[in-house]
Coordinates of all heavy atoms in Angstrom, one line a residue:
M124 N 114.4 128.3 137.5 CA 113.6 127.2 137.0 C 112.2 127.6 136.9 O 111.6 128.2 137.8 CB 113.8 126.0 138.0 CG 113.0 124.8 137.6 SD 113.2 123.3 138.7 CE 114.9 122.9 138.3
T125 N 111.6 127.2 135.8 CA 110.1 127.5 135.6 C 109.3 126.4 136.4 O 109.8 125.4 136.7 CB 109.8 127.4 134.1 OG1 109.9 126.1 133.7 CG2 110.6 128.4 133.3
L126 N 108.1 126.8 136.6 CA 107.1 125.9 137.2 C 107.0 124.6 136.4 O 106.9 123.5 136.9 CB 105.8 126.6 137.4 CG 104.6 125.7 137.9 CD1 104.9 125.2 139.3 CD2 103.3 126.5 137.9
E127 N 106.9 124.8 135.1 CA 106.7 123.6 134.2 C 108.0 122.7 134.3 O 107.8 121.5 134.3 CB 106.6 124.1 132.7 CG 105.3 124.8 132.4 CD 105.3 126.3 132.8 OE1 106.3 126.8 133.2 OE2 104.2 126.9 132.7
N128 N 109.1 123.3 134.4 CA 110.4 122.5 134.5 C 110.4 121.7 135.8 O 110.7 120.5 135.9 CB 111.6 123.4 134.3 CG 112.9 122.6 134.3 OD1 113.6 122.6 135.2 ND2 113.1 121.9 133.2
A129 N 110.0 122.4 136.9 CA 110.0 121.8 138.2 C 109.0 120.7 138.3 O 109.2 119.6 138.8 CB 109.7 122.8 139.3
L130 N 107.8 120.9 137.6 CA 106.8 119.8 137.6 C 107.3 118.6 136.8 O 107.2 117.5 137.3 CB 105.5 120.3 136.9 CG 104.4 119.3 136.5 CD1 103.9 118.6 137.8 CD2 103.3 119.9 135.7
A131 N 107.9 118.9 135.7 CA 108.5 117.8 134.9 C 109.5 117.0 135.6 O 109.5 115.7 135.6 CB 109.1 118.3 133.6
I132 N 110.4 117.6 136.3 CA 111.5 116.9 137.0 C 110.9 116.2 138.2 O 111.3 115.0 138.4 CB 112.5 118.0 137.5 CG1 113.3 118.5 136.3 CG2 113.5 117.4 138.5 CD1 114.2 119.7 136.6
T133 N 110.0 116.8 138.9 CA 109.4 116.1 140.1 C 108.6 114.9 139.7 O 108.7 113.8 140.3 CB 108.5 117.1 140.9 OG1 109.3 118.3 141.2 CG2 107.9 116.5 142.1
L134 N 107.8 115.0 138.6 CA 107.0 113.9 138.1 C 107.9 112.8 137.6 O 107.8 111.6 138.1 CB 106.1 114.3 136.9 CG 105.4 113.2 136.2 CD1 104.5 112.4 137.2 CD2 104.6 113.8 135.1
K135 N 108.9 113.1 136.9 CA 109.8 112.0 136.3 C 110.6 111.3 137.5 O 110.7 110.1 137.5 CB 110.8 112.6 135.3 CG 111.7 111.6 134.7 CD 112.6 112.2 133.6 CE 113.4 111.1 132.9 NZ 114.2 111.6 131.8
N136 N 111.1 112.1 138.4 CA 111.8 111.5 139.5 C 110.9 110.6 140.4 O 111.3 109.5 140.7 CB 112.5 112.6 140.4 CG 113.6 113.3 139.7 OD1 114.2 112.8 138.8 ND2 114.0 114.4 140.3
R137 N 109.7 111.0 140.6 CA 108.8 110.2 141.4 C 108.4 109.0 140.7 O 108.3 107.9 141.3 CB 107.6 111.0 141.8 CG 106.6 110.3 142.7 CD 107.2 110.0 144.1 NE 106.3 109.1 144.8 CZ 106.3 109.0 146.1 NH1 107.3 109.5 146.8 NH2 105.4 108.2 146.7
R138 N 108.1 109.1 139.4 CA 107.7 108.0 138.6 C 108.8 106.9 138.6 O 108.6 105.7 138.8 CB 107.4 108.4 137.1 CG 107.1 107.3 136.2 CD 106.8 107.8 134.8 NE 107.9 108.6 134.2 CZ 109.0 108.0 133.7 NH1 109.2 106.7 133.7 NH2 109.9 108.7 133.1
I139 N 110.0 107.3 138.4 CA 111.2 106.4 138.3 C 111.4 105.8 139.7 O 111.6 104.6 139.8 CB 112.5 107.1 137.9 CG1 112.3 107.5 136.4 CG2 113.7 106.3 138.1 CD1 113.4 108.4 135.8
K140 N 111.2 106.6 140.8 CA 111.4 106.1 142.1 C 110.3 105.0 142.4 O 110.6 104.0 143.1 CB 111.2 107.2 143.2 CG 111.3 106.8 144.6 CD 111.2 108.0 145.5 CE 111.3 107.5 147.0 NZ 111.1 108.6 147.9
C141 N 109.2 105.1 141.8 CA 108.1 104.1 142.0 C 108.3 102.9 141.0 O 107.5 102.0 141.1 CB 106.7 104.7 141.7 SG 106.2 105.9 143.0
G142 N 109.3 103.0 140.2 CA 109.5 101.9 139.2 C 108.5 101.8 138.1 O 108.3 100.7 137.6
L143 N 108.0 102.9 137.7 CA 107.0 102.9 136.7 C 107.5 103.5 135.4 O 108.2 104.5 135.4 CB 105.7 103.7 137.1 CG 104.9 103.2 138.3 CD1 103.9 104.2 138.7 CD2 104.3 101.8 137.9
S144 N 107.2 102.9 134.3 CA 107.4 103.5 133.0 C 106.4 104.6 132.7 O 105.4 104.6 133.4 CB 107.4 102.5 131.9 OG 106.1 102.0 131.7
Q145 N 106.6 105.4 131.7 CA 105.6 106.3 131.3 C 104.3 105.6 130.9 O 103.2 106.1 131.3 CB 106.1 107.2 130.2 CG 107.1 108.2 130.5 CD 107.6 109.0 129.3 OE1 107.3 108.7 128.2 NE2 108.3 110.1 129.6
E146 N 104.5 104.5 130.2 CA 103.3 103.7 129.8 C 102.5 103.2 131.0 O 101.3 103.2 131.1 CB 103.7 102.6 128.9 CG 102.6 101.9 128.3 CD 103.0 100.9 127.2 OE1 104.2 100.9 126.8 OE2 102.2 100.2 126.7
D147 N 103.3 102.7 132.0 CA 102.6 102.1 133.2 C 101.8 103.2 133.9 O 100.7 103.0 134.4 CB 103.7 101.6 134.2 CG 104.4 100.3 133.7 OD1 103.8 99.6 132.8 OD2 105.5 100.1 134.2
L148 N 102.5 104.4 134.1 CA 101.8 105.5 134.8 C 100.6 105.9 134.0 O 99.5 106.2 134.6 CB 102.8 106.6 135.0 CG 102.2 107.9 135.7 CD1 101.6 107.5 137.1 CD2 103.2 109.0 135.8
A149 N 100.7 106.1 132.7 CA 99.6 106.5 131.9 C 98.4 105.5 132.0 O 97.3 105.9 132.2 CB 100.0 106.6 130.4
H150 N 98.7 104.2 132.0 CA 97.7 103.2 132.2 C 97.0 103.4 133.5 O 95.7 103.3 133.6 CB 98.3 101.8 132.1 CG 97.3 100.7 132.2 ND1 96.3 100.4 131.3 CD2 97.1 99.8 133.2 CE1 95.6 99.4 131.7 NE2 96.0 99.0 132.9
E151 N 97.8 103.6 134.6 CA 97.2 103.8 135.9 C 96.3 105.0 136.0 O 95.3 105.0 136.7 CB 98.3 103.9 137.0 CG 99.1 102.6 137.3 CD 98.3 101.7 138.1 OE1 97.6 102.1 139.0 OE2 98.5 100.4 137.9
C152 N 96.7 106.0 135.3 CA 96.0 107.3 135.3 C 94.8 107.4 134.3 O 94.1 108.4 134.2 CB 96.9 108.5 135.1 SG 98.2 108.7 136.3
N153 N 94.8 106.4 133.4 CA 93.8 106.3 132.3 C 94.0 107.5 131.4 O 93.0 108.2 131.0 CB 92.4 106.3 132.9 CG 91.4 105.8 131.9 OD1 91.7 105.0 131.0 ND2 90.2 106.3 131.9
V154 N 95.2 107.7 131.0 CA 95.6 108.7 130.0 C 96.5 108.0 129.0 O 97.1 107.0 129.2 CB 96.2 110.0 130.5 CG1 95.3 110.7 131.5 CG2 97.5 109.7 131.2
D155 N 96.7 108.7 127.9 CA 97.7 108.1 126.9 C 99.1 108.3 127.3 O 99.4 109.3 128.0 CB 97.4 108.9 125.5 CG 98.1 108.2 124.4 OD1 99.3 108.5 124.1 OD2 97.5 107.3 123.8
R156 N 100.0 107.4 126.9 CA 101.4 107.5 127.3 C 102.0 108.8 126.8 O 102.8 109.4 127.5 CB 102.2 106.3 126.8 CG 103.6 106.3 127.2 CD 104.5 105.6 126.2 NE 104.5 106.1 124.8 CZ 105.1 107.1 124.4 NH1 105.9 107.9 125.2 NH2 105.0 107.4 123.1
T157 N 101.6 109.2 125.7 CA 102.2 110.4 125.2 C 101.8 111.7 126.0 O 102.6 112.6 126.1 CB 101.7 110.7 123.7 OG1 100.3 110.8 123.7 CG2 102.2 109.6 122.8
Y158 N 100.7 111.6 126.7 CA 100.4 112.7 127.6 C 101.4 112.8 128.8 O 101.8 113.9 129.1 CB 98.9 112.5 128.2 CG 98.4 113.7 128.9 CD1 98.0 114.8 128.2 CD2 98.4 113.7 130.3 CE1 97.5 115.9 128.9 CE2 97.9 114.8 131.0 CZ 97.5 115.9 130.3 OH 97.0 117.0 131.0
I159 N 101.7 111.7 129.4 CA 102.7 111.7 130.4 C 104.1 112.2 129.9 O 104.8 113.0 130.5 CB 102.9 110.3 131.1 CG1 101.6 109.8 131.7 CG2 104.0 110.3 132.1 CD1 101.1 110.7 132.8
S160 N 104.4 111.7 128.7 CA 105.7 112.1 128.1 C 105.7 113.6 127.8 O 106.7 114.3 128.0 CB 105.8 111.4 126.7 OG 106.9 111.9 126.0
M161 N 104.6 114.2 127.4 CA 104.5 115.6 127.1 C 104.5 116.4 128.4 O 105.1 117.5 128.3 CB 103.2 115.9 126.3 CG 103.2 115.3 124.9 SD 101.7 115.5 124.0 CE 101.9 117.2 123.5
I162 N 104.0 115.9 129.4 CA 104.2 116.6 130.7 C 105.6 116.7 131.1 O 106.2 117.7 131.5 CB 103.3 116.0 131.9 CG1 101.8 116.1 131.6 CG2 103.7 116.7 133.2 CD1 101.0 115.3 132.5
E163 N 106.3 115.5 131.0 CA 107.7 115.4 131.4 C 108.6 116.2 130.4 O 109.7 116.6 130.8 CB 108.2 114.0 131.4 CG 107.5 113.2 132.6 CD 108.1 111.8 132.8 OE1 109.0 111.4 132.0 OE2 107.6 111.1 133.7
R164 N 108.1 116.5 129.2 CA 108.9 117.3 128.3 C 108.5 118.8 128.2 O 108.9 119.6 127.4 CB 108.9 116.7 126.9 CG 109.6 115.4 126.7 CD 109.6 114.8 125.3 NE 108.2 114.5 124.9 CZ 107.5 115.0 123.9 NH1 108.1 115.8 123.1 NH2 106.3 114.6 123.6
Q165 N 107.6 119.1 129.2 CA 107.1 120.5 129.3 C 106.3 121.0 128.1 O 106.2 122.1 127.8 CB 108.2 121.4 129.6 CG 109.0 121.1 130.8 CD 110.3 121.9 130.9 OE1 110.1 123.1 130.9 NE2 111.4 121.3 131.1
K166 N 105.6 120.0 127.5 CA 104.8 120.4 126.3 C 103.3 120.5 126.7 O 102.5 121.0 125.9 CB 104.9 119.3 125.2 CG 106.4 119.1 124.7 CD 106.9 120.4 124.0 CE 108.3 120.1 123.5 NZ 108.9 121.3 123.0
R167 N 102.9 119.9 127.8 CA 101.5 120.0 128.3 C 101.5 120.4 129.8 O 102.5 120.0 130.5 CB 100.9 118.6 128.1 CG 100.6 118.1 126.8 CD 99.6 118.9 126.0 NE 98.3 119.0 126.6 CZ 97.2 118.2 126.3 NH1 97.4 117.3 125.3 NH2 96.1 118.4 126.8
N168 N 100.5 121.1 130.2 CA 100.3 121.4 131.6 C 99.1 120.6 132.0 O 98.0 120.8 131.5 CB 100.0 122.9 131.8 CG 101.3 123.7 131.5 OD1 102.4 123.3 132.0 ND2 101.2 124.8 130.8
P169 N 99.3 119.7 133.0 CA 98.1 118.9 133.5 C 97.1 119.7 134.2 O 97.4 120.7 134.9 CB 98.8 117.8 134.4 CG 100.0 118.5 134.9 CD 100.5 119.4 133.8
T170 N 95.9 119.2 134.2 CA 94.8 119.8 134.9 C 94.9 119.3 136.4 O 95.7 118.4 136.7 CB 93.4 119.4 134.4 OG1 93.3 118.0 134.6 CG2 93.2 119.8 133.0
L171 N 94.2 120.0 137.3 CA 94.2 119.6 138.7 C 93.7 118.1 138.8 O 94.2 117.3 139.6 CB 93.4 120.5 139.5 CG 93.4 120.4 141.0 CD1 94.9 120.5 141.5 CD2 92.6 121.4 141.7
N172 N 92.7 117.8 138.0 CA 92.2 116.4 138.0 C 93.3 115.4 137.7 O 93.4 114.4 138.3 CB 91.0 116.4 137.0 CG 90.3 115.0 137.0 OD1 90.7 114.1 137.7 ND2 89.3 114.9 136.2
I173 N 94.1 115.7 136.6 CA 95.1 114.8 136.2 C 96.2 114.7 137.3 O 96.8 113.7 137.6 CB 95.8 115.2 134.9 CG1 94.7 115.1 133.7 CG2 97.0 114.4 134.6 CD1 94.3 113.7 133.4
I174 N 96.5 115.9 137.9 CA 97.5 115.8 139.0 C 97.1 114.9 140.1 O 97.9 114.1 140.6 CB 97.8 117.3 139.5 CG1 98.6 118.1 138.4 CG2 98.6 117.3 140.8 CD1 98.8 119.5 138.8
F175 N 95.9 115.0 140.5 CA 95.4 114.1 141.5 C 95.4 112.6 141.1 O 95.7 111.7 141.9 CB 94.0 114.5 142.0 CG 94.0 115.5 143.1 CD1 94.2 116.9 142.8 CD2 93.9 115.2 144.4 CE1 94.2 117.8 143.8 CE2 93.9 116.1 145.4 CZ 94.1 117.4 145.1
R176 N 95.1 112.4 139.8 CA 95.2 111.0 139.3 C 96.6 110.5 139.3 O 96.9 109.3 139.7 CB 94.5 110.9 138.0 CG 93.0 111.0 138.1 CD 92.3 111.3 136.8 NE 92.6 110.5 135.6 CZ 92.1 110.8 134.4 NH1 91.3 111.9 134.3 NH2 92.4 110.1 133.4
I177 N 97.5 111.4 138.9 CA 98.9 111.0 138.9 C 99.4 110.7 140.3 O 100.1 109.7 140.6 CB 99.8 112.1 138.3 CG1 99.6 112.1 136.8 CG2 101.3 112.0 138.6 CD1 100.2 113.4 136.1
C178 N 99.1 111.6 141.3 CA 99.5 111.4 142.7 C 98.9 110.1 143.2 O 99.7 109.4 144.0 CB 99.0 112.6 143.5 SG 99.9 114.1 143.1
K179 N 97.7 109.8 142.9 CA 97.1 108.5 143.4 C 97.9 107.3 142.9 O 98.3 106.4 143.6 CB 95.7 108.4 143.0 CG 95.0 107.2 143.5 CD 93.5 107.1 143.2 CE 92.9 105.8 143.7 NZ 91.5 105.7 143.3
S180 N 98.3 107.4 141.6 CA 99.0 106.3 141.0 C 100.4 106.2 141.5 O 101.0 105.2 141.6 CB 99.1 106.5 139.5 OG 97.8 106.5 138.9
L181 N 101.0 107.4 141.9 CA 102.4 107.4 142.5 C 102.4 107.2 144.0 O 103.4 107.3 144.6 CB 103.1 108.7 142.1 CG 103.3 108.9 140.6 CD1 103.9 110.3 140.3 CD2 104.2 107.8 140.0
D182 N 101.2 107.0 144.5 CA 101.1 106.8 146.0 C 101.7 107.9 146.8 O 102.5 107.7 147.7 CB 101.7 105.5 146.4 CG 101.3 105.0 147.8 OD1 100.1 105.4 148.2 OD2 102.1 104.4 148.5
I183 N 101.3 109.2 146.4 CA 101.8 110.3 147.1 C 100.6 111.3 147.3 O 99.8 111.4 146.4 CB 102.9 111.0 146.3 CG1 103.6 112.1 147.1 CG2 102.6 111.4 145.0 CD1 104.8 112.7 146.5
K184 N 100.6 112.0 148.4 CA 99.5 113.0 148.6 C 99.8 114.2 147.6 O 101.0 114.5 147.4 CB 99.5 113.5 150.0 CG 99.1 112.5 151.0 CD 98.9 113.0 152.4 CE 99.6 114.2 152.8 NZ 99.5 114.5 154.3
A185 N 98.8 114.8 147.1 CA 98.9 115.9 146.2 C 99.7 117.0 146.8 O 100.5 117.7 146.2 CB 97.6 116.4 145.6
S186 N 99.4 117.3 148.1 CA 100.1 118.3 148.8 C 101.6 118.1 148.9 O 102.5 119.0 148.8 CB 99.6 118.5 150.2 OG 99.6 117.4 151.0
D187 N 102.0 116.8 149.1 CA 103.4 116.4 149.1 C 104.1 116.6 147.7 O 105.2 117.0 147.6 CB 103.6 115.0 149.6 CG 103.3 114.9 151.1 OD1 103.3 115.9 151.8 OD2 103.0 113.8 151.5
F188 N 103.3 116.2 146.7 CA 103.8 116.3 145.3 C 104.1 117.8 145.0 O 105.1 118.2 144.5 CB 102.8 115.7 144.4 CG 103.2 115.7 142.9 CD1 104.2 114.8 142.5 CD2 102.7 116.5 142.0 CE1 104.6 114.8 141.2 CE2 103.1 116.5 140.7 CZ 104.0 115.6 140.3
I189 N 103.1 118.7 145.4 CA 103.2 120.1 145.1 C 104.4 120.7 145.9 O 105.2 121.5 145.4 CB 101.9 120.9 145.5 CG1 100.8 120.4 144.6 CG2 102.1 122.4 145.4 CD1 101.0 120.6 143.1
S190 N 104.6 120.2 147.2 CA 105.7 120.6 148.0 C 107.1 120.3 147.3 O 108.0 121.0 147.3 CB 105.7 120.0 149.3 OG 104.7 120.5 150.1
G191 N 107.1 119.1 146.6 CA 108.3 118.7 145.9 C 108.6 119.6 144.7 O 109.7 119.9 144.4
I192 N 107.5 120.1 144.1 CA 107.7 121.0 143.0 C 108.2 122.3 143.5 O 109.1 122.9 142.9 CB 106.3 121.2 142.2 CG1 105.9 119.9 141.6 CG2 106.4 122.3 141.2 CD1 104.5 119.9 141.0
E193 N 107.7 122.8 144.6 CA 108.2 124.0 145.2 C 109.6 123.9 145.6 O 110.4 124.8 145.4 CB 107.3 124.4 146.5 CG 105.9 124.8 146.1 CD 105.1 125.1 147.4 OE1 105.3 124.4 148.4 OE2 104.2 125.9 147.3
K194 N 110.0 122.8 146.2 CA 111.4 122.6 146.6 C 112.3 122.6 145.3 O 113.4 123.2 145.4 CB 111.6 121.3 147.4 CG 111.0 121.4 148.7 CD 111.2 120.0 149.5 CE 110.4 120.1 150.8 NZ 110.3 118.8 151.5
A195 N 111.9 122.0 144.3 CA 112.7 121.9 143.0 C 112.9 123.4 142.5 O 114.0 123.7 142.0 CB 112.0 121.1 142.0
M196 N 111.9 124.2 142.6 CA 112.0 125.6 142.2 C 112.9 126.4 143.0 O 113.7 127.2 142.5 CB 110.6 126.2 142.1 CG 109.7 125.7 141.0 SD 108.1 126.4 140.9 CE 108.5 128.1 140.4
E197 N 112.9 126.1 144.4 CA 113.8 126.8 145.3 C 115.2 126.4 145.1 O 116.1 127.2 145.3 CB 113.3 126.6 146.7 CG 112.0 127.2 147.1 CD 111.5 126.7 148.4 OE1 112.1 125.9 149.1 OE2 110.3 127.1 148.8
N198 N 115.5 125.2 144.8 CA 116.8 124.7 144.7 C 117.5 125.1 143.4 O 118.7 124.7 143.2 CB 116.8 123.1 144.8 CG 116.5 122.7 146.2 OD1 116.7 123.5 147.2 ND2 116.0 121.5 146.4
N199 N 116.9 125.8 142.6 CA 117.5 126.2 141.3 C 117.5 127.7 141.1 O 117.0 128.5 141.5 CB 116.9 125.5 140.2 CG 117.9 125.0 139.2 OD1 119.1 125.2 139.4 ND2 117.5 124.3 138.2

């Protein structure tokens, strides 16, 4: 599994767990909905700034989010 794939899966799973649509998350992060979609489809790589905004919106520490990405990579 690639890093991009692990990020996409981790983001989508967490977003769904929080009950947010891509549009809801995008609004919370002050980005366009298509940007969230593109991250989840592995078409864009978010900056560190965006990752922290996403984590704040998903109510998760960035370190825990990154750990989730690492676990996704290890499990595949």
Side-chain angles (χ1 to χ4, degrees):
M124 175 177 296
T125 66
L126 176 59
E127 291 83 4
N128 188 251
L130 170 64
I132 290 168
T133 303
L134 172 58
K135 184 174 183 177
N136 289 342
R137 182 65 187 198
R138 177 180 59 74
I139 290 169
K140 183 179 178 181
C141 290
L143 295 173
S144 66
Q145 290 179 345
E146 189 171 353
D147 293 335
L148 179 58
H150 180 72
E151 290 284 326
C152 296
N153 198 30
V154 297
D155 193 270
R156 182 206 55 83
T157 59
Y158 188 77
I159 299 298
S160 173
M161 291 176 79
I162 295 170
E163 290 186 1
R164 290 182 295 123
Q165 304 172 51
K166 302 292 183 190
R167 293 292 302 259
N168 290 314
T170 64
L171 191 56
N172 185 359
I173 296 294
I174 289 174
F175 271 82
R176 285 162 54 186
I177 288 170
C178 290
K179 182 177 180 183
S180 297
L181 296 176
D182 195 32
I183 187 172
K184 293 187 335 186
S186 58
D187 292 338
F188 185 72
I189 298 300
S190 291
I192 295 169
E193 289 176 331
K194 287 178 188 172
M196 291 180 68
E197 291 170 1
N198 290 336
N199 225 356

